Every structure is written in C-alpha cells, then in structure tokens.
Amino acid sequence: MKVGETMRVTQNMLNQNMLTSLNRNLGKMETLQRQMTTGKKINKPSDDPVGLSSAMRYRSELEANEQYQRNLDDAQSWVEFNDTTVGQAVDVLHRARELAVQGANDSNPQEAKNAVASEVEELFDQLMDIANSQFNGKYVFNGQKTDQPPYPTDDAYQDTTFDDGKINFEVSRSLVLNVNVHAGQVFGEAEDEDNAFATLNALSTALRDGDKDGVDQALGHLDSRLDQVLESWSDIGARSNRLELIDNRLKDSDTNMQTLLSKTEDADMAAVITNLRTAENVYQASLATGARIISPTLMDFLR
Amino acid sequence: MRSTFHNLEVAKRGLYAQQTAMSTTGHNISNANTEGYSRQRVNFKAATPIETPSMTRSTAPGQLGTGVDFQSITRIREAFLDVQYRNESQAHGTWQVQKDTLEKIEGIYNEPSEEGLRSVIDEFWNGWQELSREADNLTARSVVKERALAMTDAFKHTDSKLQDLRDDLDHSLDVKTQEANTYIDQVAHLNQEIRRVEGLGHNANDLRDQRDLAVDKLSELVQINVQEEQSGMYSITLPDGTDVVNGMEGQHIGDGISVDQITGGEIYGIVVSRDELVNEYQTHLNTMFQGLLYGEVEVHIPEGSVLAQDIEYGPEDNRQTWPAGEPIPEGGMDTTVEGINGLHQLGWTLREDDDGNAIPGEAFFLPADEEDFNIQDVELNPYIAKDVGLIAASLRVEEEDGMNKVIRGNGDLALAMGQLRDGVFQFQPEEGAAGEGTFDEYFRSVIGGLGVKTQEATRQTDNQEMLLNAADNRRQSVSGVSLDEEMSNMIKFQHAYNAAARMVTATDELLDTVVNRMGLVGR
C-alpha cells in the first residue's frame, strides 16, 4: 500500500478483528477469574516457572518441617518421661540415703534397723519398677531393645543385660537427637561399686546384720550414685531445653516458609478484583463497540 | 457513414455492460461471507469506434464511439500477500500444536498441587520417618507400605497419561495427514480445471479462489512453497524441493512424501510434540523414578549397626570393604547404596527364617535392578505387600543362642530412608551428563523447564497469531467484499443502466419523428 493511501476495510475484517479482540479480552478475564477462584497466581508451571520452583521448594520444606515437628513432639514426650522417671529414681535414692543415715545411728535397736531394712527392700523393688518402666509400651531404659525389660529378674543387675543402643529422632534437617538414657547411666553398670541395686541390697543386708561399716560404705556408694543420677538428670533437662529451642525454630521457620509461599504463590486479591473489574469493562466496551460497528451498512440508509 | 440505428446499438451495449456489472456486484454480495472468495470486477473498455484510420475513410470529422465493451471479469488479489499469509500460517500451526501439547503435559504433571508426584514422595519419606520412631509398630509399617503403593501408582499413572497423550498425537497425525492429502488432491484437480477454462481465454476466478483456499489450508498443515506456472497451474514443493503437486499430479504424505520431510505446519508440530516433547517428559519421569529406586546415593550408617551386606567405605581412591555382620565402629560410616532398594537390603526385617535367624531386607521395589527399566513393571515387592513385617527398619542384629536376632527397637534404617529426602542421588538421564541432586531438586528442574517451554510456546503462538491476523487483514483489505462498496456500485450501475434505457427511449422518439412525422407537410 502506498503512503497516505487509506486501507480498504471490509465487513469481514471488522468481524474478524472484533472476534479476535473479544476472545483476547475473554482470555484475560478467564485468567483473572481463575486467580480469583483459586486465590493463587501460579496455577500451572507456565504461569511463573521461577516462582513455581520456589513454591514447590517451600511446600516440600513445609511438609518436611511438619514431620520434624511430629518427631520432635514425640522426642519431647520421651525426654519428659525420662525426666519424670529419673526424678523418681532420685527420690528413691534420697529416701534410701535418709534411711541409711538413720540406720547408721548405733543407738537404734535392731528391730528398728530391721524395719529400716524392710523399707530399703521396698525401695529396691520400687527402683526396679522404675528401671523397668514403659512408655507407650516400650521399655525406656533398655536402649534399642525397647521390647524387653532391662532387668527381667531381680538379680539381673548383677550381669549387664541392658542394651546401650541409642534411640534417635530426626528433629530437624540432618539433626538427629538421642532421646534415651540407658540403665547403666542411671542405675550403674553391673561391675560398678555404686550400682544402685547392689548398693540397696548391701544396705539392707548391712542393716539386718547390724554391720555399721557396711552401712557406712553403702552410704558412700549412695552418694556417688546420686551424683551420677543427678548428672544424667541434668543432661536430660538440657536435652529438653534443646528440644524446646528446636521447637521454636521449627515453628519460626514454618511461619517464614508459609509467608514466603504465600508471597510467591498467592494472588493479590485486591489487585485481581480490580483487574477483573477493568477486564469486564473492557469486554463490555468491546461488545458495545462491536454491536455498533457490525450492523450498519450503506444498505440501511438507502431507500 | 453511421447507421440510423447506431444509437440503439450503443444504448444496447450499455445495457448489456451495466447488467453484467450488476450481476458481478450481486455475485460479490452473495459471496461476501464465502471463505477464500476474492471480489471480482468487470473491466469496461470503450468499444472500437467506427471510422478507424484507412484509405477509404469518410470525410466526417472525428471518430464515432460505439459504446462500451466489457473486456474481462477479474478477481482482485495480490499473490505476494498469499505468500506472507501462508508463511505465518504454517509457523502458527507448528507452535499452536506444541503449545497445546505442553499445556496437556502441565496438566498431567499437575503442579503446583497437593496431589502431584512431589506430594506423594514427600509422604513416602514421612512414612519412613514415622516408622523410624516406632520401628516395630505394624501400623507405622502399613503406612510405609500404603505410601509406597501410592507413590508407584502416581508414577505409573503419570506415565500412562503421557502414553495416552502420545497415542492421541499419533491419531491426530493420521487425521491431519489425511486432511492434507485431500487438499493436495483438490489442488491437483483444480489445476486441471483451471487450465481447461483458461485455455479458452476465460478467467477461472472462482476456481482459483477455491484452489487458493485449498493451498491456505494445506499451508496450515505443512510448510510448502507455491509457484504459479505459465499454464496457470500451481506447482507445490516442500522446502527440500520435493514435489507435492506437479501439474495434475499430487503426491500423498505417507506415500510419496515421508512425514520426516515435513518441516513446518501442524503436522510438523505434532511430530515434534510426540517425538520430542512427550518423549522428553516421559524420559524425565523414568529417570526420576529409576534414580529414586536404584540411583547411587550416599547414606550414613550409625555406629553399632550390624548390616546384612558388605559395604564399601573410605575415600574414592582407597575404597575398603566393611564386612556384613561386623558392628560398625564408633562414629558410624558413610557409604554409597543403590537407591531405596540398595538401602533396604542392608537392614533386617521383623521376621525370622525357619532356623530362627532374622531375615534381611529384600529389594523394596521390583524389578530388583534397573536393567530394562519400565515404570509400568515396577511394583512394591509382593512379599512386603503381603507382610509388612518384611519391611526392614532395623540396622542391627545381635547373636542370641547362635542365632541372629533383630533389634526391634532399632529404627535406623527407617530413619536413613526418611533422610533420603535430602539425599543426593545420581540420576542417569538418557541424554547429557548424569544429573546429581536431591529428588526434589531434580523434579523441580523438570517442572521448571516445562513451565519455561510452555511459556515460550505460548508466546510464539500469540505472536504468530498476531502476524497471521495482520497478514489476513492485509489480504482481506485487498480481496474482501465491502458491502458499502458493492451497494454504491450497485447504485452506480443501476443509474447507468437506467440512463442507457432512457437512451433507447430517446432514440425511439427520434425514429418516431423520422418515420411517422416526416414528409407530412401540407397533408
């Protein structure tokens, strides 16, 4: 076409162009409507490939985090249970110490010592119960052999039968925490002089025999055992604190990730609604223009 | 010397000519909406005057006009615009098909969502994590089993959807090829018709329109070059020079022309979609799943573990073997296993054999190795599917009465499995360098790539559509029927016709004067 020459326009061109632009406007409305109904600006990979990659990463990390959170909750229960049971063991040992001090007093008659010895024997049983305590049907002081008691019989403490395997929970990416303490750490290894059961046994025997030296020796062992147990106990407390910190961190990172995911993936509703309104107006305008352009021809004005 | 009736003759020619023009106007109006129609025009020319220069000319002055002749009826069309239109049309066809295919693949992979592959795999890892906390819990074991089934199902489902898409493309290739062959036949046939008509000196306007339309349609499907021969016949060739239509001879695609020779248009788009796009994403799926099941990945074996198989450890240039059954020393050991299957075979199940020895883990998924890998053949080991006790979760056995007894509370294998979420796998793509990364990374790169490809195809399709529309508009601007124009022409021709008719009346009155009123003086 030469410069300045006006383009010839025919009815079909008008029709075609109108249809094309109506279609384009409808397409825009469809996209916006999808964003409205899903609330997401990324509905398929091609909407935003880079954003999608991040969104998928956040989703996976969120799911992993949820799992870590579940593992952590479980770990916390384990540690809390250990905390309670070891606390009970401490109480038992304290009471035994009191009784030992009482029994060491020579002015007590033998009957009184026998009575003390009986109580010590009860403490032995109680401690045995604690050592064999179960959490969710699992023996907590027998390492990985959670299906077997560490002390199947009363004198099992004399030879090591418990397992020292670690119960490990993954509580955050690549962070594996050990949640159990084994019987050896709390009640003493079989060969330890201050093995709690051996000591209690020796104490009651010494009391019944009126063996003051024996009682004194037991008292000394009780003290050193208590030190050991308290150490384990504070170790458990430290683990509990650590779990709490990790818990906070997991919750923080969950919030962060949710925010990031939302920023990447969610549609800005105010903008979408405004845009949809605009698109509707444009669409209606193009319909109205179309209706005016398409219908009249010269024919309408000829008599 | 002119005839008395000269004026009648002139007026009659006027009547004929204007009437022809009116008919053509009517033809244009009637075909205003006919696809491929180009408007026609009657070319008027003043008729040959009498008294052409000669030896015996009259002495009367001037040449006397003899009215109008209509020389020809021609269609108004520019061949150059056809070439442009057909170029854009084939490119549009190619991209449109690829765009559709990629959008379908997007739909099949179904990301981002909570139902896609990424999600079932996340769930699978989570299942093992749950099991790691309660290694002997049968419920946790069932969860692992169910999630393994869900994962294989999801992969198989995705793969078969891609296969369906491939079959669909095969089918549309057949349909489109047939369509193209029909147009090829049409052009060849019309070539013959047009030559016959035009050999007699006429313009085969409407047949030419039909032929151009057939060529337009063909160019949507196949990239072609069109050349009009001296004889008025079109010869159509592929860009590589192969004849598609030569005179009255047409070559069929799939017969004289192979599909591989086609380099543009929808048919090419279909072939690319099937052989490159769908194939690529099916291969990706294979590579991902294969990597997950058998790809090399480094794992950490905790101290105290007693494994069912020998493992290799140490630096790459000095690999050493740690024997099965020997407790792993303090600090644990890093080793490389072959995917989920390899890891599973290091550990111990809850079940015992007839002698009372703990049964070691078998391949978790079958087939146990990656020879002739086909997603559709993969299944959870049926023994495990039947008895979840055969899932290996423990990495430790202990000798008891001369027998290996599993440590039931040990969930280290389950934990190691759950940690594969972050494990760096060696993927073996069919083409290019081996991919290395976590499963998630690999999957994300596949989906990201798909998004970019679809975006590009959409952009190209939109562009081509605009170019195609522009070309079509330019063509329409030249050849399209304008009703306004036809209306004003109609009035123009109508008035001319009326005037010519009036001329007949005038001549009639003139002759009436000559015949009936002359020579009556004094009567």
Side-chain angles (χ1 to χ4, degrees):
Chain A
M1 216 157 42
K2 292 179 205 88
V3 180
E5 195 180 340
T6 46
M7 189 162 165
R8 211 177 144 264
V9 180
T10 68
Q11 267 72 27
N12 270 335
M13 285 162 73
L14 292 176
N15 247 327
Q16 192 59 52
N17 292 345
M18 191 189 72
L19 276 178
T20 310
S21 51
L22 279 183
N23 242 327
R24 192 165 303 151
N25 289 334
L26 264 181
K28 266 184 207 153
M29 276 171 68
E30 198 258 342
T31 309
L32 288 166
Q33 243 158 19
R34 197 173 50 224
Q35 292 187 2
M36 273 266 289
T37 47
T38 58
K40 305 251 176 269
K41 69 180 171 215
I42 305 179
N43 287 292
K44 47 188 189 340
S46 53
D47 286 342
D48 177 2
V50 179
L52 172 84
S53 263
S54 317
M56 285 173 67
R57 201 179 74 234
Y58 299 143
R59 274 167 195 262
S60 286
E61 284 181 19
L62 275 168
E63 284 200 30
N65 250 10
E66 275 172 33
Q67 186 60 46
Y68 294 141
Q69 186 74 56
R70 281 195 288 273
N71 293 354
L72 186 114
D73 290 346
D74 224 9
Q76 276 180 324
S77 309
W78 264 83
V79 170
E80 270 165 34
F81 185 79
N82 279 338
D83 187 54
T84 315
T85 40
V86 173
Q88 286 166 356
V90 169
D91 289 346
V92 168
L93 292 175
H94 267 301
R95 179 65 191 147
R97 193 180 179 282
E98 274 172 38
L99 292 174
V101 172
Q102 208 180 320
N105 191 340
D106 262 347
S107 58
N108 278 335
Q110 187 58 40
E111 287 93 75
K113 286 182 184 165
N114 284 347
V116 171
S118 307
E119 195 178 341
V120 170
E121 279 150 18
E122 297 220 343
L123 287 179
F124 179 98
D125 290 344
Q126 205 182 328
L127 197 64
M128 193 56 87
D129 272 353
I130 293 169
N132 284 339
S133 53
Q134 281 176 288
F135 174 62
N136 277 348
K138 295 187 170 70
Y139 293 97
V140 291
F141 291 116
N142 201 17
Q144 293 175 344
K145 293 187 180 172
T146 52
D147 55 335
Q148 299 157 30
Y151 302 109
T153 59
D154 269 2
D155 43 14
Y157 68 89
Q158 290 166 355
D159 40 35
T160 314
T161 53
F162 59 82
D163 182 54
D164 61 0
K166 288 176 175 165
I167 305 281
N168 288 329
F169 285 6
E170 192 178 26
V171 289
S172 148
R173 186 171 176 173
S174 310
L175 178 60
V176 175
L177 272 193
N178 165 225
V179 296
N180 65 325
V181 281
H182 62 76
Q185 291 166 311
V186 182
F187 309 102
E189 306 283 346
E191 65 276 13
D192 284 348
E193 277 191 325
D194 62 351
N195 179 298
F197 298 107
T199 308
L200 288 182
N201 235 349
L203 179 60
S204 67
T205 314
L207 282 168
R208 284 196 195 281
D209 295 353
D211 171 8
K212 185 177 182 315
D213 286 350
V215 175
D216 282 344
Q217 199 184 22
L219 192 59
H221 287 159
L222 271 178
D223 281 339
S224 85
R225 177 47 38 198
L226 258 171
D227 284 348
Q228 299 278 333
V229 179
L230 286 171
E231 199 185 307
S232 290
W233 203 19
S234 65
D235 180 47
I236 292 168
R239 272 188 241 174
S240 173
N241 284 344
R242 190 162 173 212
L243 287 172
E244 214 164 296
L245 287 175
I246 296 168
D247 190 19
N248 289 339
R249 212 178 61 213
L250 280 181
K251 287 189 169 111
D252 277 355
S253 86
D254 195 78
T255 317
N256 282 342
M257 221 94 75
Q258 294 276 14
T259 315
L260 285 171
L261 180 63
S262 158
K263 269 189 186 157
T264 327
E265 208 182 53
D266 289 355
D268 173 355
M269 279 320 223
V272 172
I273 292 167
T274 315
N275 291 340
L276 187 60
R277 258 287 117 118
T278 315
E280 268 171 21
N281 286 337
V282 171
Y283 180 64
Q284 269 167 9
S286 50
L287 275 180
T289 334
R292 294 171 85 160
I293 287 178
I294 296 300
S295 68
T297 63
L298 184 56
M299 199 166 55
D300 298 293
F301 300 95
L302 294 176
R303 271 179 294 120
Chain B
M1 188 54 201
R2 70 191 163 99
S3 139
T4 318
F5 301 117
H6 180 82
N7 281 349
L8 271 181
E9 282 305 317
V10 170
K12 191 176 80 185
R13 279 185 171 167
L15 286 174
Y16 285 164
Q18 302 305 328
Q19 207 170 31
T20 307
M22 288 275 277
S23 301
T24 303
T25 303
H27 187 54
N28 282 345
I29 293 172
S30 309
N31 285 296
N33 293 325
T34 305
E35 199 184 3
Y37 181 80
S38 26
R39 67 189 164 116
Q40 296 177 10
R41 183 168 58 195
V42 178
N43 297 310
F44 291 131
K45 181 176 164 266
T48 321
I50 47 178
E51 295 292 359
T52 48
S54 73
M55 294 298 285
T56 60
R57 64 191 173 88
S58 123
T59 52
Q63 284 190 321
L64 186 64
T66 57
V68 67
D69 258 348
F70 57 95
Q71 280 242 304
S72 58
I73 303 174
T74 49
R75 56 179 200 151
I76 299 169
R77 192 160 177 125
E78 274 181 41
F80 169 68
L81 295 177
D82 284 338
V83 173
Q84 264 192 343
Y85 178 86
R86 287 162 192 163
N87 272 339
E88 306 305 353
S89 171
Q90 62 88 8
H92 179 255
T94 307
W95 283 110
Q96 176 77 51
V97 174
Q98 292 188 53
K99 178 193 156 198
D100 285 352
T101 308
L102 285 163
E103 282 178 346
K104 282 176 190 156
I105 298 177
E106 280 192 336
I108 290 171
Y109 271 95
N110 189 21
E111 293 292 344
S113 78
E114 299 299 330
E115 294 86 38
L117 288 178
R118 182 202 56 75
S119 200
V120 287
I121 289 165
D122 276 339
E123 293 279 293
F124 177 71
W125 300 136
N126 283 352
W128 284 102
Q129 287 265 355
E130 292 286 331
L131 182 59
S132 80
R133 290 177 357 224
E134 308 204 42
D136 56 353
N137 182 325
L138 288 180
T139 315
R141 286 169 172 267
S142 299
V143 169
V144 167
K145 177 189 111 182
E146 291 304 326
R147 290 187 177 169
L149 288 174
M151 186 174 82
T152 41
D153 281 351
F155 269 96
K156 285 184 189 180
H157 180 72
T158 308
D159 178 67
S160 57
K161 283 275 168 193
L162 286 169
Q163 190 58 45
D164 288 349
L165 179 55
R166 179 192 283 265
D167 295 344
D168 274 358
L169 286 166
D170 260 340
H171 179 67
S172 30
L173 184 61
D174 284 349
V175 173
K176 293 285 177 186
T177 304
Q178 271 177 26
E179 206 180 315
N181 288 339
T182 312
Y183 293 130
I184 291 169
D185 289 344
Q186 269 183 30
V187 173
H189 176 69
L190 284 162
N191 266 348
Q192 183 183 11
E193 288 281 295
I194 289 165
R195 198 179 69 152
R196 201 168 50 74
V197 173
E198 296 192 346
L200 299 172
H202 300 297
N203 289 324
N205 292 325
D206 298 318
L207 294 176
R208 276 179 173 268
D209 279 348
Q210 280 175 32
R211 184 175 61 179
D212 278 325
L213 182 63
V215 174
D216 283 355
K217 300 276 185 195
L218 182 60
S219 74
E220 254 175 72
L221 301 172
V222 185
Q223 186 178 16
I224 44 169
N225 294 325
V226 184
Q227 191 79 40
E228 184 169 347
E229 302 293 331
Q230 210 74 50
S231 60
M233 298 205 281
Y234 276 180
S235 69
I236 299 179
T237 49
L238 292 181
D240 70 2
T242 312
D243 280 337
V244 180
V245 176
N246 186 0
M248 300 168 215
E249 294 291 319
Q251 293 249 53
H252 277 186
I253 299 168
D255 189 7
I257 301 166
S258 98
V259 170
D260 303 334
Q261 282 177 282
I262 293 166
T263 50
E266 281 182 28
I267 290 183
Y268 177 68
I270 293 172
V271 173
V272 171
S273 295
R274 183 192 62 182
D275 296 349
E276 288 176 26
L277 301 178
V278 176
N279 194 35
E280 179 184 339
Y281 286 94
Q282 237 176 340
T283 308
H284 277 316
L285 197 67
N286 260 295
T287 307
M288 281 193 285
F289 202 26
Q290 204 172 359
L292 207 57
L293 303 193
Y294 315 109
E296 287 192 351
V297 58
E298 196 166 276
V299 291
H300 178 78
I301 308 292
E303 65 182 70
S305 302
V306 178
L307 304 181
Q309 287 191 354
D310 296 353
I311 54 169
E312 307 256 297
Y313 70 101
E316 212 155 292
D317 50 358
N318 185 24
R319 296 299 264 181
Q320 291 176 26
T321 304
W322 190 267
E326 200 62 33
I328 301 290
E330 203 177 327
M333 207 172 256
D334 288 330
T335 187
T336 304
V337 295
E338 291 184 345
I340 293 173
N341 264 358
L343 181 54
H344 195 254
Q345 293 176 57
L346 292 184
W348 304 94
T349 69
L350 284 187
R351 301 291 177 239
E352 291 174 350
D353 61 18
D354 295 341
D355 301 335
N357 281 311
I359 299 177
E362 278 191 52
F364 196 71
F365 289 104
L366 293 182
D369 58 39
E370 55 186 320
E371 294 300 313
D372 289 331
F373 179 80
N374 178 354
I375 280 190
Q376 297 299 339
D377 296 341
V378 172
E379 57 172 349
L380 179 67
N381 190 326
Y383 292 112
I384 293 173
K386 238 176 272 166
D387 177 9
V388 291
L390 286 170
I391 294 176
S394 170
L395 279 178
R396 222 182 119 201
V397 281
E398 197 183 51
E399 207 178 290
E400 202 177 286
D401 309 328
M403 244 93 68
N404 275 336
K405 296 288 179 192
V406 68
I407 306 291
R408 302 167 75 93
N410 178 309
D412 288 336
L413 174 58
L415 182 59
M417 200 66 101
Q419 286 180 312
L420 285 186
R421 182 204 302 275
D422 301 311
V424 176
F425 285 85
Q426 299 288 334
F427 293 99
Q428 306 288 335
E430 270 179 17
E431 287 156 27
E436 192 188 84
T438 69
F439 175 83
D440 272 4
E441 280 165 1
Y442 194 87
F443 188 48
R444 275 202 300 275
S445 77
V446 169
I447 299 297
L450 175 62
V452 172
K453 273 211 170 88
T454 314
Q455 237 181 9
E456 165 73 359
T458 308
R459 204 173 52 78
Q460 293 277 14
T461 309
D462 288 352
N463 271 349
Q464 278 312 128
E465 196 172 312
M466 269 162 59
L467 291 172
L468 185 65
N469 278 344
D472 195 36
N473 262 338
R474 279 196 298 277
R475 228 162 54 146
Q476 285 287 319
S477 173
V478 174
S479 304
V481 174
S482 155
L483 288 178
D484 289 348
E485 190 179 284
E486 300 301 329
M487 279 291 150
S488 50
N489 279 344
M490 192 176 79
I491 290 163
K492 192 170 80 179
F493 297 134
Q494 192 186 359
H495 279 299
Y497 182 88
N498 285 347
R502 184 66 57 88
M503 178 76 186
V504 174
T505 321
T507 311
D508 177 43
E509 275 181 26
L510 195 134
L511 288 175
D512 185 49
T513 307
V514 172
V515 174
N516 296 323
R517 309 242 200 116
M518 272 169 84
L520 297 178
V521 178
R523 213 198 267 185

